[in-house]
PDB file of all heavy atoms in Angstrom:
ATOM      1  N   PHE B   1       2.899 -30.708 -34.964  1.00 98.00           N
ATOM      2  CA  PHE B   1       4.104 -30.701 -35.669  1.00 98.00           C
ATOM      3  C   PHE B   1       4.772 -29.405 -35.591  1.00 98.00           C
ATOM      4  O   PHE B   1       6.068 -29.302 -35.449  1.00 98.00           O
ATOM      5  CB  PHE B   1       3.978 -31.129 -37.167  1.00 98.00           C
ATOM      6  CG  PHE B   1       3.623 -32.430 -37.436  1.00 98.00           C
ATOM      7  CD1 PHE B   1       3.383 -33.150 -38.607  1.00 98.00           C
ATOM      8  CD2 PHE B   1       3.676 -33.505 -36.303  1.00 98.00           C
ATOM      9  CE1 PHE B   1       3.067 -34.333 -38.910  1.00 98.00           C
ATOM     10  CE2 PHE B   1       3.352 -34.853 -36.567  1.00 98.00           C
ATOM     11  CZ  PHE B   1       3.099 -35.294 -37.795  1.00 98.00           C
ATOM     12  N   CYS B   2       4.069 -28.288 -35.584  1.00 98.00           N
ATOM     13  CA  CYS B   2       4.632 -26.987 -35.544  1.00 98.00           C
ATOM     14  C   CYS B   2       5.369 -26.772 -34.181  1.00 98.00           C
ATOM     15  O   CYS B   2       6.600 -26.219 -34.301  1.00 98.00           O
ATOM     16  CB  CYS B   2       3.461 -25.866 -35.683  1.00 98.00           C
ATOM     17  SG  CYS B   2       4.126 -24.161 -35.530  1.00 98.00           S
ATOM     18  N   ARG B   3       4.718 -27.220 -33.165  1.00 97.00           N
ATOM     19  CA  ARG B   3       5.537 -27.007 -31.814  1.00 97.00           C
ATOM     20  C   ARG B   3       6.757 -27.756 -31.829  1.00 97.00           C
ATOM     21  O   ARG B   3       7.800 -27.383 -31.231  1.00 97.00           O
ATOM     22  CB  ARG B   3       4.568 -27.246 -30.830  1.00 97.00           C
ATOM     23  CG  ARG B   3       3.461 -26.290 -30.509  1.00 97.00           C
ATOM     24  CD  ARG B   3       2.777 -26.461 -29.208  1.00 97.00           C
ATOM     25  NE  ARG B   3       1.759 -25.478 -28.920  1.00 97.00           N
ATOM     26  CZ  ARG B   3       1.110 -25.367 -27.930  1.00 97.00           C
ATOM     27  NH1 ARG B   3       1.264 -26.273 -26.867  1.00 97.00           N
ATOM     28  NH2 ARG B   3       0.233 -24.418 -27.714  1.00 97.00           N
ATOM     29  N   PHE B   4       6.742 -28.992 -32.417  1.00 98.00           N
ATOM     30  CA  PHE B   4       7.916 -29.806 -32.484  1.00 98.00           C
ATOM     31  C   PHE B   4       8.943 -29.196 -33.204  1.00 98.00           C
ATOM     32  O   PHE B   4      10.242 -28.990 -32.791  1.00 98.00           O
ATOM     33  CB  PHE B   4       7.593 -31.190 -33.140  1.00 98.00           C
ATOM     34  CG  PHE B   4       8.638 -32.205 -33.039  1.00 98.00           C
ATOM     35  CD1 PHE B   4       8.351 -33.503 -32.862  1.00 98.00           C
ATOM     36  CD2 PHE B   4      10.010 -31.870 -33.289  1.00 98.00           C
ATOM     37  CE1 PHE B   4       9.302 -34.567 -32.757  1.00 98.00           C
ATOM     38  CE2 PHE B   4      10.976 -32.843 -33.284  1.00 98.00           C
ATOM     39  CZ  PHE B   4      10.633 -34.157 -32.993  1.00 98.00           C
ATOM     40  N   ALA B   5       8.588 -28.604 -34.449  1.00 98.00           N
ATOM     41  CA  ALA B   5       9.544 -27.913 -35.212  1.00 98.00           C
ATOM     42  C   ALA B   5      10.237 -26.645 -34.589  1.00 98.00           C
ATOM     43  O   ALA B   5      11.321 -26.358 -34.617  1.00 98.00           O
ATOM     44  CB  ALA B   5       9.074 -27.560 -36.566  1.00 98.00           C
ATOM     45  N   LYS B   6       9.320 -25.914 -33.867  1.00 97.00           N
ATOM     46  CA  LYS B   6       9.751 -24.749 -33.230  1.00 97.00           C
ATOM     47  C   LYS B   6      10.753 -25.033 -32.154  1.00 97.00           C
ATOM     48  O   LYS B   6      11.736 -24.258 -31.759  1.00 97.00           O
ATOM     49  CB  LYS B   6       8.585 -23.808 -32.735  1.00 97.00           C
ATOM     50  CG  LYS B   6       7.812 -23.211 -33.725  1.00 97.00           C
ATOM     51  CD  LYS B   6       6.958 -22.127 -33.223  1.00 97.00           C
ATOM     52  CE  LYS B   6       7.774 -20.870 -32.799  1.00 97.00           C
ATOM     53  NZ  LYS B   6       6.851 -19.741 -32.469  1.00 97.00           N
ATOM     54  N   SER B   7      10.494 -26.160 -31.509  1.00 97.00           N
ATOM     55  CA  SER B   7      11.367 -26.607 -30.387  1.00 97.00           C
ATOM     56  C   SER B   7      12.808 -26.768 -30.809  1.00 97.00           C
ATOM     57  O   SER B   7      13.700 -26.891 -29.956  1.00 97.00           O
ATOM     58  CB  SER B   7      10.872 -27.901 -29.706  1.00 97.00           C
ATOM     59  OG  SER B   7      11.052 -29.036 -30.426  1.00 97.00           O
ATOM     60  N   VAL B   8      13.046 -27.118 -32.106  1.00 97.00           N
ATOM     61  CA  VAL B   8      14.373 -27.362 -32.595  1.00 97.00           C
ATOM     62  C   VAL B   8      14.946 -26.141 -33.415  1.00 97.00           C
ATOM     63  O   VAL B   8      15.980 -26.142 -34.045  1.00 97.00           O
ATOM     64  CB  VAL B   8      14.526 -28.613 -33.454  1.00 97.00           C
ATOM     65  CG1 VAL B   8      14.114 -29.824 -32.709  1.00 97.00           C
ATOM     66  CG2 VAL B   8      13.665 -28.450 -34.697  1.00 97.00           C
ATOM     67  N   GLY B   9      14.154 -24.988 -33.248  1.00 97.00           N
ATOM     68  CA  GLY B   9      14.573 -23.751 -33.824  1.00 97.00           C
ATOM     69  C   GLY B   9      14.108 -23.512 -35.194  1.00 97.00           C
ATOM     70  O   GLY B   9      14.562 -22.479 -35.878  1.00 97.00           O
ATOM     71  N   ALA B  10      13.240 -24.194 -35.713  1.00 97.00           N
ATOM     72  CA  ALA B  10      12.609 -23.891 -37.148  1.00 97.00           C
ATOM     73  C   ALA B  10      11.764 -22.726 -37.218  1.00 97.00           C
ATOM     74  O   ALA B  10      10.951 -22.411 -36.239  1.00 97.00           O
ATOM     75  CB  ALA B  10      11.917 -25.229 -37.573  1.00 97.00           C
ATOM     76  N   THR B  11      11.739 -22.137 -38.347  1.00 97.00           N
ATOM     77  CA  THR B  11      10.794 -21.032 -38.672  1.00 97.00           C
ATOM     78  C   THR B  11       9.520 -21.791 -39.066  1.00 97.00           C
ATOM     79  O   THR B  11       9.628 -22.663 -39.943  1.00 97.00           O
ATOM     80  CB  THR B  11      11.280 -20.080 -39.718  1.00 97.00           C
ATOM     81  OG1 THR B  11      12.471 -19.432 -39.178  1.00 97.00           O
ATOM     82  CG2 THR B  11      10.300 -19.070 -40.084  1.00 97.00           C
ATOM     83  N   CYS B  12       8.390 -21.288 -38.615  1.00 98.00           N
ATOM     84  CA  CYS B  12       7.166 -22.071 -39.040  1.00 98.00           C
ATOM     85  C   CYS B  12       5.998 -21.147 -39.574  1.00 98.00           C
ATOM     86  O   CYS B  12       5.867 -20.125 -39.028  1.00 98.00           O
ATOM     87  CB  CYS B  12       6.541 -22.696 -37.699  1.00 98.00           C
ATOM     88  SG  CYS B  12       7.612 -23.849 -36.871  1.00 98.00           S
ATOM     89  N   LEU B  13       5.636 -21.456 -40.735  1.00 98.00           N
ATOM     90  CA  LEU B  13       4.780 -20.645 -41.502  1.00 98.00           C
ATOM     91  C   LEU B  13       3.502 -21.457 -41.890  1.00 98.00           C
ATOM     92  O   LEU B  13       3.574 -22.714 -42.243  1.00 98.00           O
ATOM     93  CB  LEU B  13       5.339 -20.048 -42.802  1.00 98.00           C
ATOM     94  CG  LEU B  13       6.701 -19.414 -42.679  1.00 98.00           C
ATOM     95  CD1 LEU B  13       7.273 -19.026 -43.974  1.00 98.00           C
ATOM     96  CD2 LEU B  13       6.507 -18.190 -41.798  1.00 98.00           C
ATOM     97  N   GLU B  14       2.248 -20.871 -41.822  1.00 98.00           N
ATOM     98  CA  GLU B  14       1.085 -21.580 -42.364  1.00 98.00           C
ATOM     99  C   GLU B  14       0.501 -20.846 -43.528  1.00 98.00           C
ATOM    100  O   GLU B  14       0.453 -19.590 -43.604  1.00 98.00           O
ATOM    101  CB  GLU B  14       0.017 -21.913 -41.292  1.00 98.00           C
ATOM    102  CG  GLU B  14      -0.703 -20.546 -40.745  1.00 98.00           C
ATOM    103  CD  GLU B  14      -1.859 -21.008 -39.881  1.00 98.00           C
ATOM    104  OE1 GLU B  14      -2.114 -22.135 -39.542  1.00 98.00           O
ATOM    105  OE2 GLU B  14      -2.632 -20.081 -39.451  1.00 98.00           O
ATOM    106  N   PHE B  15      -0.094 -21.611 -44.430  1.00 98.00           N
ATOM    107  CA  PHE B  15      -0.772 -21.109 -45.670  1.00 98.00           C
ATOM    108  C   PHE B  15      -2.187 -21.699 -45.516  1.00 98.00           C
ATOM    109  O   PHE B  15      -2.388 -22.818 -45.657  1.00 98.00           O
ATOM    110  CB  PHE B  15      -0.020 -21.644 -46.914  1.00 98.00           C
ATOM    111  CG  PHE B  15       1.325 -21.027 -47.040  1.00 98.00           C
ATOM    112  CD1 PHE B  15       2.325 -21.609 -46.312  1.00 98.00           C
ATOM    113  CD2 PHE B  15       1.569 -19.977 -47.923  1.00 98.00           C
ATOM    114  CE1 PHE B  15       3.660 -21.084 -46.470  1.00 98.00           C
ATOM    115  CE2 PHE B  15       2.818 -19.463 -48.022  1.00 98.00           C
ATOM    116  CZ  PHE B  15       3.953 -20.014 -47.316  1.00 98.00           C
ATOM    117  N   ASN B  16      -3.185 -20.784 -45.399  1.00 96.00           N
ATOM    118  CA  ASN B  16      -4.465 -21.285 -45.188  1.00 96.00           C
ATOM    119  C   ASN B  16      -5.533 -20.256 -45.764  1.00 96.00           C
ATOM    120  O   ASN B  16      -5.154 -19.066 -45.839  1.00 96.00           O
ATOM    121  CB  ASN B  16      -4.865 -21.516 -43.718  1.00 96.00           C
ATOM    122  CG  ASN B  16      -4.897 -22.944 -43.362  1.00 96.00           C
ATOM    123  OD1 ASN B  16      -5.172 -23.786 -44.161  1.00 96.00           O
ATOM    124  ND2 ASN B  16      -4.451 -23.277 -42.158  1.00 96.00           N
ATOM    125  N   LEU B  17      -6.779 -20.642 -45.959  1.00 94.00           N
ATOM    126  CA  LEU B  17      -7.803 -19.655 -46.227  1.00 94.00           C
ATOM    127  C   LEU B  17      -7.990 -18.689 -45.100  1.00 94.00           C
ATOM    128  O   LEU B  17      -8.269 -17.492 -45.231  1.00 94.00           O
ATOM    129  CB  LEU B  17      -9.117 -20.357 -46.691  1.00 94.00           C
ATOM    130  CG  LEU B  17      -9.275 -20.956 -48.015  1.00 94.00           C
ATOM    131  CD1 LEU B  17     -10.559 -21.578 -48.193  1.00 94.00           C
ATOM    132  CD2 LEU B  17      -9.228 -19.805 -49.061  1.00 94.00           C
ATOM    133  N   LYS B  18      -7.943 -19.227 -43.829  1.00 95.00           N
ATOM    134  CA  LYS B  18      -8.066 -18.521 -42.676  1.00 95.00           C
ATOM    135  C   LYS B  18      -7.184 -19.138 -41.554  1.00 95.00           C
ATOM    136  O   LYS B  18      -6.597 -20.136 -41.834  1.00 95.00           O
ATOM    137  CB  LYS B  18      -9.461 -18.441 -42.124  1.00 95.00           C
ATOM    138  CG  LYS B  18     -10.050 -19.857 -41.913  1.00 95.00           C
ATOM    139  CD  LYS B  18     -11.507 -19.694 -41.439  1.00 95.00           C
ATOM    140  CE  LYS B  18     -12.181 -21.006 -41.204  1.00 95.00           C
ATOM    141  NZ  LYS B  18     -13.573 -20.933 -40.841  1.00 95.00           N
ATOM    142  N   LYS B  19      -7.016 -18.422 -40.457  1.00 96.00           N
ATOM    143  CA  LYS B  19      -6.143 -18.998 -39.394  1.00 96.00           C
ATOM    144  C   LYS B  19      -6.636 -20.426 -38.930  1.00 96.00           C
ATOM    145  O   LYS B  19      -7.799 -20.591 -38.726  1.00 96.00           O
ATOM    146  CB  LYS B  19      -6.057 -17.979 -38.275  1.00 96.00           C
ATOM    147  CG  LYS B  19      -5.420 -16.675 -38.480  1.00 96.00           C
ATOM    148  CD  LYS B  19      -5.241 -15.786 -37.285  1.00 96.00           C
ATOM    149  CE  LYS B  19      -4.494 -14.553 -37.670  1.00 96.00           C
ATOM    150  NZ  LYS B  19      -4.386 -13.727 -36.425  1.00 96.00           N
ATOM    151  N   SER B  20      -5.611 -21.181 -38.660  1.00 95.00           N
ATOM    152  CA  SER B  20      -5.969 -22.538 -38.171  1.00 95.00           C
ATOM    153  C   SER B  20      -6.199 -22.484 -36.741  1.00 95.00           C
ATOM    154  O   SER B  20      -6.000 -21.395 -36.029  1.00 95.00           O
ATOM    155  CB  SER B  20      -4.798 -23.575 -38.564  1.00 95.00           C
ATOM    156  OG  SER B  20      -3.688 -23.202 -37.663  1.00 95.00           O
ATOM    157  N   ALA B  21      -6.581 -23.568 -36.128  1.00 95.00           N
ATOM    158  CA  ALA B  21      -6.763 -23.671 -34.719  1.00 95.00           C
ATOM    159  C   ALA B  21      -5.427 -23.464 -33.893  1.00 95.00           C
ATOM    160  O   ALA B  21      -5.462 -23.127 -32.600  1.00 95.00           O
ATOM    161  CB  ALA B  21      -7.430 -25.014 -34.321  1.00 95.00           C
ATOM    162  N   VAL B  22      -4.203 -23.663 -34.501  1.00 96.00           N
ATOM    163  CA  VAL B  22      -2.943 -23.514 -33.942  1.00 96.00           C
ATOM    164  C   VAL B  22      -2.199 -22.404 -34.503  1.00 96.00           C
ATOM    165  O   VAL B  22      -0.930 -22.420 -34.339  1.00 96.00           O
ATOM    166  CB  VAL B  22      -2.190 -24.892 -33.901  1.00 96.00           C
ATOM    167  CG1 VAL B  22      -2.870 -25.816 -32.964  1.00 96.00           C
ATOM    168  CG2 VAL B  22      -2.040 -25.382 -35.312  1.00 96.00           C
ATOM    169  N   ALA B  23      -2.805 -21.457 -35.099  1.00 96.00           N
ATOM    170  CA  ALA B  23      -2.173 -20.305 -35.749  1.00 96.00           C
ATOM    171  C   ALA B  23      -1.224 -19.624 -34.769  1.00 96.00           C
ATOM    172  O   ALA B  23      -0.190 -19.150 -35.327  1.00 96.00           O
ATOM    173  CB  ALA B  23      -3.184 -19.396 -36.294  1.00 96.00           C
ATOM    174  N   SER B  24      -1.474 -19.529 -33.652  1.00 96.00           N
ATOM    175  CA  SER B  24      -0.598 -18.853 -32.634  1.00 96.00           C
ATOM    176  C   SER B  24       0.790 -19.430 -32.485  1.00 96.00           C
ATOM    177  O   SER B  24       1.646 -18.908 -31.890  1.00 96.00           O
ATOM    178  CB  SER B  24      -1.291 -18.615 -31.242  1.00 96.00           C
ATOM    179  OG  SER B  24      -1.678 -19.868 -30.640  1.00 96.00           O
ATOM    180  N   ASP B  25       0.878 -20.759 -32.902  1.00 96.00           N
ATOM    181  CA  ASP B  25       2.049 -21.564 -32.746  1.00 96.00           C
ATOM    182  C   ASP B  25       3.058 -21.126 -33.775  1.00 96.00           C
ATOM    183  O   ASP B  25       4.305 -21.381 -33.703  1.00 96.00           O
ATOM    184  CB  ASP B  25       1.795 -23.054 -32.852  1.00 96.00           C
ATOM    185  CG  ASP B  25       1.171 -23.638 -31.586  1.00 96.00           C
ATOM    186  OD1 ASP B  25       1.100 -22.897 -30.544  1.00 96.00           O
ATOM    187  OD2 ASP B  25       0.667 -24.702 -31.630  1.00 96.00           O
ATOM    188  N   PHE B  26       2.557 -20.501 -34.874  1.00 98.00           N
ATOM    189  CA  PHE B  26       3.363 -20.154 -36.117  1.00 98.00           C
ATOM    190  C   PHE B  26       4.029 -18.903 -36.070  1.00 98.00           C
ATOM    191  O   PHE B  26       3.443 -17.928 -35.297  1.00 98.00           O
ATOM    192  CB  PHE B  26       2.573 -20.307 -37.428  1.00 98.00           C
ATOM    193  CG  PHE B  26       2.175 -21.690 -37.739  1.00 98.00           C
ATOM    194  CD1 PHE B  26       1.061 -22.281 -37.290  1.00 98.00           C
ATOM    195  CD2 PHE B  26       2.934 -22.419 -38.717  1.00 98.00           C
ATOM    196  CE1 PHE B  26       0.664 -23.553 -37.581  1.00 98.00           C
ATOM    197  CE2 PHE B  26       2.569 -23.672 -39.034  1.00 98.00           C
ATOM    198  CZ  PHE B  26       1.452 -24.373 -38.438  1.00 98.00           C
ATOM    199  N   ASP B  27       5.071 -18.696 -36.690  1.00 97.00           N
ATOM    200  CA  ASP B  27       5.716 -17.313 -36.730  1.00 97.00           C
ATOM    201  C   ASP B  27       4.957 -16.389 -37.543  1.00 97.00           C
ATOM    202  O   ASP B  27       4.963 -15.198 -37.367  1.00 97.00           O
ATOM    203  CB  ASP B  27       7.136 -17.391 -37.303  1.00 97.00           C
ATOM    204  CG  ASP B  27       8.026 -18.323 -36.257  1.00 97.00           C
ATOM    205  OD1 ASP B  27       8.314 -17.828 -35.167  1.00 97.00           O
ATOM    206  OD2 ASP B  27       8.429 -19.472 -36.673  1.00 97.00           O
ATOM    207  N   ALA B  28       4.355 -16.922 -38.638  1.00 97.00           N
ATOM    208  CA  ALA B  28       3.608 -16.094 -39.487  1.00 97.00           C
ATOM    209  C   ALA B  28       2.647 -16.811 -40.294  1.00 97.00           C
ATOM    210  O   ALA B  28       2.736 -18.102 -40.472  1.00 97.00           O
ATOM    211  CB  ALA B  28       4.530 -15.311 -40.475  1.00 97.00           C
ATOM    212  N   GLY B  29       1.560 -16.190 -40.934  1.00 97.00           N
ATOM    213  CA  GLY B  29       0.682 -16.948 -41.761  1.00 97.00           C
ATOM    214  C   GLY B  29       0.357 -16.183 -43.034  1.00 97.00           C
ATOM    215  O   GLY B  29       0.396 -14.890 -42.991  1.00 97.00           O
ATOM    216  N   PHE B  30       0.079 -16.928 -44.129  1.00 97.00           N
ATOM    217  CA  PHE B  30      -0.295 -16.330 -45.391  1.00 97.00           C
ATOM    218  C   PHE B  30      -1.721 -16.807 -45.706  1.00 97.00           C
ATOM    219  O   PHE B  30      -1.866 -18.001 -45.836  1.00 97.00           O
ATOM    220  CB  PHE B  30       0.692 -16.656 -46.478  1.00 97.00           C
ATOM    221  CG  PHE B  30       2.140 -16.204 -46.264  1.00 97.00           C
ATOM    222  CD1 PHE B  30       2.873 -17.094 -45.602  1.00 97.00           C
ATOM    223  CD2 PHE B  30       2.520 -14.871 -46.419  1.00 97.00           C
ATOM    224  CE1 PHE B  30       4.366 -16.703 -45.407  1.00 97.00           C
ATOM    225  CE2 PHE B  30       3.766 -14.485 -46.188  1.00 97.00           C
ATOM    226  CZ  PHE B  30       4.733 -15.358 -45.634  1.00 97.00           C
ATOM    227  N   TYR B  31      -2.700 -15.858 -45.784  1.00 97.00           N
ATOM    228  CA  TYR B  31      -4.074 -16.307 -45.793  1.00 97.00           C
ATOM    229  C   TYR B  31      -4.703 -15.972 -47.143  1.00 97.00           C
ATOM    230  O   TYR B  31      -4.554 -14.791 -47.574  1.00 97.00           O
ATOM    231  CB  TYR B  31      -4.847 -15.800 -44.680  1.00 97.00           C
ATOM    232  CG  TYR B  31      -4.251 -16.161 -43.285  1.00 97.00           C
ATOM    233  CD1 TYR B  31      -3.486 -15.263 -42.545  1.00 97.00           C
ATOM    234  CD2 TYR B  31      -4.258 -17.497 -42.988  1.00 97.00           C
ATOM    235  CE1 TYR B  31      -2.818 -15.803 -41.361  1.00 97.00           C
ATOM    236  CE2 TYR B  31      -3.690 -17.901 -41.781  1.00 97.00           C
ATOM    237  CZ  TYR B  31      -2.986 -17.059 -40.993  1.00 97.00           C
ATOM    238  OH  TYR B  31      -2.298 -17.501 -39.897  1.00 97.00           O
ATOM    239  N   GLY B  32      -5.368 -16.862 -47.721  1.00 97.00           N
ATOM    240  CA  GLY B  32      -6.044 -16.778 -49.074  1.00 97.00           C
ATOM    241  C   GLY B  32      -5.846 -18.170 -49.653  1.00 97.00           C
ATOM    242  O   GLY B  32      -5.501 -19.071 -49.025  1.00 97.00           O
ATOM    243  N   LYS B  33      -6.143 -18.167 -50.995  1.00 97.00           N
ATOM    244  CA  LYS B  33      -5.966 -19.487 -51.679  1.00 97.00           C
ATOM    245  C   LYS B  33      -4.609 -19.932 -51.758  1.00 97.00           C
ATOM    246  O   LYS B  33      -3.750 -19.198 -52.223  1.00 97.00           O
ATOM    247  CB  LYS B  33      -6.547 -19.387 -53.099  1.00 97.00           C
ATOM    248  CG  LYS B  33      -8.053 -19.208 -53.139  1.00 97.00           C
ATOM    249  CD  LYS B  33      -8.600 -19.249 -54.665  1.00 97.00           C
ATOM    250  CE  LYS B  33     -10.083 -19.142 -54.581  1.00 97.00           C
ATOM    251  NZ  LYS B  33     -10.674 -19.099 -56.133  1.00 97.00           N
ATOM    252  N   ALA B  34      -4.257 -21.107 -51.308  1.00 97.00           N
ATOM    253  CA  ALA B  34      -2.813 -21.634 -51.312  1.00 97.00           C
ATOM    254  C   ALA B  34      -2.364 -21.749 -52.755  1.00 97.00           C
ATOM    255  O   ALA B  34      -1.117 -21.625 -53.035  1.00 97.00           O
ATOM    256  CB  ALA B  34      -2.842 -22.977 -50.574  1.00 97.00           C
ATOM    257  N   SER B  35      -3.293 -21.972 -53.670  1.00 97.00           N
ATOM    258  CA  SER B  35      -2.830 -22.101 -55.124  1.00 97.00           C
ATOM    259  C   SER B  35      -2.280 -20.710 -55.614  1.00 97.00           C
ATOM    260  O   SER B  35      -1.721 -20.717 -56.639  1.00 97.00           O
ATOM    261  CB  SER B  35      -4.054 -22.461 -55.895  1.00 97.00           C
ATOM    262  OG  SER B  35      -5.085 -21.553 -55.813  1.00 97.00           O
ATOM    263  N   GLU B  36      -2.581 -19.666 -54.952  1.00 97.00           N
ATOM    264  CA  GLU B  36      -2.038 -18.418 -55.311  1.00 97.00           C
ATOM    265  C   GLU B  36      -0.853 -17.925 -54.356  1.00 97.00           C
ATOM    266  O   GLU B  36       0.145 -17.416 -54.872  1.00 97.00           O
ATOM    267  CB  GLU B  36      -3.111 -17.282 -55.226  1.00 97.00           C
ATOM    268  CG  GLU B  36      -4.278 -17.595 -56.128  1.00 97.00           C
ATOM    269  CD  GLU B  36      -5.467 -16.666 -56.049  1.00 97.00           C
ATOM    270  OE1 GLU B  36      -5.383 -15.854 -55.049  1.00 97.00           O
ATOM    271  OE2 GLU B  36      -6.530 -16.788 -56.735  1.00 97.00           O
ATOM    272  N   THR B  37      -1.054 -18.112 -53.040  1.00 97.00           N
ATOM    273  CA  THR B  37      -0.001 -17.615 -52.151  1.00 97.00           C
ATOM    274  C   THR B  37       1.291 -18.482 -52.144  1.00 97.00           C
ATOM    275  O   THR B  37       2.384 -17.967 -52.044  1.00 97.00           O
ATOM    276  CB  THR B  37      -0.409 -17.643 -50.731  1.00 97.00           C
ATOM    277  OG1 THR B  37      -1.068 -18.924 -50.289  1.00 97.00           O
ATOM    278  CG2 THR B  37      -1.736 -16.636 -50.529  1.00 97.00           C
ATOM    279  N   LEU B  38       1.043 -19.861 -52.243  1.00 98.00           N
ATOM    280  CA  LEU B  38       2.276 -20.772 -52.068  1.00 98.00           C
ATOM    281  C   LEU B  38       3.079 -20.693 -53.371  1.00 98.00           C
ATOM    282  O   LEU B  38       4.391 -20.577 -53.133  1.00 98.00           O
ATOM    283  CB  LEU B  38       1.778 -22.153 -51.932  1.00 98.00           C
ATOM    284  CG  LEU B  38       2.909 -23.181 -51.452  1.00 98.00           C
ATOM    285  CD1 LEU B  38       3.583 -22.679 -50.059  1.00 98.00           C
ATOM    286  CD2 LEU B  38       2.453 -24.606 -51.311  1.00 98.00           C
ATOM    287  N   PRO B  39       2.695 -20.490 -54.585  1.00 98.00           N
ATOM    288  CA  PRO B  39       3.634 -20.393 -55.672  1.00 98.00           C
ATOM    289  C   PRO B  39       4.435 -19.136 -55.524  1.00 98.00           C
ATOM    290  O   PRO B  39       5.629 -19.025 -55.858  1.00 98.00           O
ATOM    291  CB  PRO B  39       2.634 -20.335 -56.882  1.00 98.00           C
ATOM    292  CG  PRO B  39       1.540 -21.169 -56.476  1.00 98.00           C
ATOM    293  CD  PRO B  39       1.378 -20.881 -55.049  1.00 98.00           C
ATOM    294  N   LYS B  40       3.866 -17.989 -55.139  1.00 97.00           N
ATOM    295  CA  LYS B  40       4.527 -16.818 -54.925  1.00 97.00           C
ATOM    296  C   LYS B  40       5.677 -16.956 -53.914  1.00 97.00           C
ATOM    297  O   LYS B  40       6.838 -16.373 -54.149  1.00 97.00           O
ATOM    298  CB  LYS B  40       3.694 -15.592 -54.553  1.00 97.00           C
ATOM    299  CG  LYS B  40       2.662 -15.205 -55.655  1.00 97.00           C
ATOM    300  CD  LYS B  40       1.722 -14.121 -55.137  1.00 97.00           C
ATOM    301  CE  LYS B  40       0.744 -13.717 -56.142  1.00 97.00           C
ATOM    302  NZ  LYS B  40      -0.280 -12.635 -55.654  1.00 97.00           N
TER     303      LYS B  40
END
């Protein structure tokens, strides 16, 4: 889905404890508990 979204010009961000297998597809990542990073 990330590559699909990037192909139409979307900014792509991931929120995870650690980098996902496709982390390089994203523009940036926020790592740590999503219950803390996502509300901020």
